[in-house]
Amino acid sequence: MTYIAKPQFHHPSLKHNALGFTRRDYEGKVSTLCAGCGHDSISAAIVQACFEIDLEPHRLAKLSGIGCSSKTPDYFLGASHGFNTVHGRMPSVLTGANLANRSLIYLGVSGDGDSASIGLGQFAHAMRRGVNMTYIVENNGVYGLTKGQFSATADKGSKSKKGVVNSDSGIDMVGLALQLGATFVARSFSGDKDQLVPLIKAALTHKGAAFIDVLSPCIAFNNHKGSTKSFDWVREHNEAVNRLDVLMARMAVTASYEPGSLTEVTQHDGSVLLLRKVAEDYDPTDHAGAISYLQHAHAAGEIVTGLLYVDPEAEELHDALGTVKQPLNALPDEELVPPVAALDKINAGLR
Amino acid sequence: MTRPITAVNDFVVKFANVNGSGSASANGLFVKAILRMGVPVGARNIFPSNIQGLPTWYEIRVSGHGWLGRRGGVDLMVAMNPQTWDRDVAEIEPGGYLFYDSTKPMPSSKFRDDITVVGLPLTALCNAAYAEPSKRKILKNIIYLGALTFLLGIERAVVEALLAEEYAAKPALIPANIEALQIGFDHARDHLKPLGLKLRRADAVGDRIFVDGNTAAGLGAVYGGATVCAWYPITPSTSLAEAFTAYCRKLRHDPETGPDGGGARYAIVQAEDEIASIGMVTGAGWNGARAFTCTSGPGVSLMQEFIGLSYFAEIPGVIFDVQRGGPSTGMPTRTQQSDILSAAYASHGDTKHVLLLPEGPNECFEFGALAFDLADRLQTMIFVMLDLDMGMNEWLIEPFRWDEDRVLDRGKIMTAEMLEAGADFGRYKDVDGDGIPWRTLPATHPSKGSYFTRGTSRDPYARYSEEGAVYVDNMERLLRKFETAKSLVPPPIVRRAARKTSYGVIYYGSTSPAMDEALAGLEADGVAVDALRVRAFPFEGEIFEFIAAHDLVFVVEQNRDAQLRTLLINEGGVDPARLVKVLNYDGSPITARFIQAELAKGMGVPKARAGEMVR
Ligand SMILES: Cc1ncc(C[n+]2csc(CCOP(=O)(O)OP(=O)(O)O)c2C)c(N)n1
Ligand code: SF4
């Protein structure tokens, strides 16, 4: 049922991608979030990333839970089907959708309340199952939609807008995702588009469970002094381990990078991740190293960003289940309903 | 002295065993042997919710007449569990038989003088024959089977043939089993007299099959085209997912690649809990696959939020609810019909869900397949309500049948071609006046037909809206859709009494076989009552006509609060005084005697007549 998309006519000066789409073809409805909300920057980054990797907008399915962050799928890729599920349980719905049709691209968008509190269990299991998806947490350390309660990712000792000090330790979603077996793990900042866009591109081309924790300040409830998720705090404590470029399989690899400062990772689909190393000793394919690096940085009060781990040979849930290549939702009756002769045999075996 | 009962092909045997003693296979052989002799059997396993040590019972209704429900009372008790001795002995009918292990002498106070006591020195025989404890444990059961074979006149060759079939994969075990059978048989022949209860070869089984409802429902899901199963283990529903898995492995592989070559035309996930199971079903249903989960009451409780989403966002899916004793962990391994209300109105807000109420494995198969058509057609969650008795016990039923020409009904799915041809797509628009909107699947078309699915209120074009009128319109359309469901669900089945009567009885589900026998018993007593079996919710018109046509209607259920009756009153505005509750909810399957006695009492039939009843 794939259709060759008709390029829509926009201002001729707008750049077109290989499919003939402009960036505007990847936009959605006008956002109703607070002006300046970090989540809107993430939506913009998703639009940019999808445009740049020449994704057919309708072939992406976007799913979310409940929260300000989970509203955002309405604000990008208007040509895609979207599903605002229930609070915290997007991962299972995405898993089911993926089981039904493995040929689409799945993007899950969630909040830190959504994923780290009510949905922590589902988050964990989607990661360990290796569901082929990109899972973005728009992490602001608070519940935005319900007006400012601490979320489970709020750091111990950080202060709410009303001056209350958080006494529980914060959950590090990146550390969790690594432990749980996600095969692509990254962190970024909504205010750092240069880093975020390539990470989303890489995650979308990754086969397997790709997780990106995006620090995304809530200007209404968590952008004050004392918050460790404010724009200023994140800028001051951001420690990037690498900078990324993604080259799609059909693009020629240009040798415009300095050897020695580069790591090249080729993924299943042939896409190449070019990592300009910032931290010299950082190897994003070393799982144990990533965990340890993260812990050291955390102790030093740094927020590590960049591509922290990738397994370019990752398998995904369908490989484990051994499902046919054809989407299950497209199998015709004759491939699903066994012949009557089979039933007769079953009957005979039950006498 | 009460006269010993004499009966041919018509009696109740109950085995009292200890869980984990290996008795299940011997008891199963006993039943199969009777079936192979052409005599119908109803069999019910009564087991505790632990793995080892607690009492289990296996009750067998032998019925040449074909009554396969529980009758009530026990004619022969095979008492193998000292722990439950007193209550087992007490349960025997006057004139009945007690078969026990007489290795250790028992004080006479432990017996009754109105029954026939048959002692077999089972432990002694077993210990004399076998030195190894493992052999002793297993073959003890086969020894008593051998003795019963003699005592009841079962054809030994039949049992031997069954043993050969049972151990076809491990032939080395056959001689030892045959020997044990012989030990029991010979001892009984040499020291005991045959009982008054006899088995005689008959021709009353035909081509019927012996199968449990969960297996049937799992197979129904295969034939119904289910491709996604997400489940979480819970008694008594686990074997449904296991049956689906086993049948898929056999029947649903790309012949080229085979089971292990990536050719599975299905995806089965053991989820982390019931919330995730139903979430996966929801996602798969949204994306156009036929998906289901199977669970029991506690699982349905956890799924409530998602069920509400599916109702409101109109996403197809199927839930097999194999009911057990509630509330909470209640009696997890006992049977009830106590999830009716929590399923019918599952979730918060105003909801109504379609329930299918199969009466046994045949309908588990049929409704199991039909549920997927209904889910796609109505774009909603469909509940198939089994219970432990139906789900986990093997029932003697007609063979499964499937119409080769049947086409799966995928419902109203708007295709790219339709969109391209200019169809006006509004996801929640009632185009056809039946309350059922059209849907598009993700990725249908590059620029048309995409929409946002959400649990929040929206207009017919799926645009978020909290306008009161828009919301009300949508909720009214959902009611219209529920009305449409009435014409699609299986209609009730009505059975008129031989003469005109002002009494009626309504029942459903696994009550069926006991009801058949109770109705026949009443008729034999000259009591007329019309019967209606409900097979689905929403209730089809005839149900309320039936109620209106009778002065008094008994509603027979296996729960405390008369849940179907409540639903009838609520949905049909029936005067509660006309609906008489007849309730059995102690966790054991309802008996024909109980139904007959309650109905007779309710109709004022003199005790003398109602007393004789089913024997
Ligand atoms: C079952 C349930 N419980 C509670 C809520 C209320 N609720 C809506 S959004 C939300 C928190 C959202 O926080 P987060 O995921 O961090 O997203 P943000 O709004 O901060 O982007 C809560 C508690 C709900 N919708 N459903
Ligand atoms: S409340 Fe916070 S998270 Fe929500 S839209 Fe406003 S800024 Fe964003």
Side-chain angles (χ1 to χ4, degrees), chain A residues 39 66-69 87 111-114 118 140 142-146, chain B residues 305:
Chain A
H39 300 352
I66 299 286
C68 297
S69 34
H87 192 24
D112 45 307
D114 205 56
I118 191 167
N140 54 17
V142 283
Y143 288 5
L145 197 64
T146 52
Chain B
E305 188 190 18

Side-chain angles (χ1 to χ4, degrees), chain B residues 46 70 331 334-335 389 558 584-591:
Chain B
I46 300 151
R70 279 184 82 214
M331 295 201 288
R334 306 301 156 107
T335 197
D389 180 22
Q558 305 194 53
N584 163 76
Y585 60 93
D586 64 2
S588 52
I590 198 164
T591 65

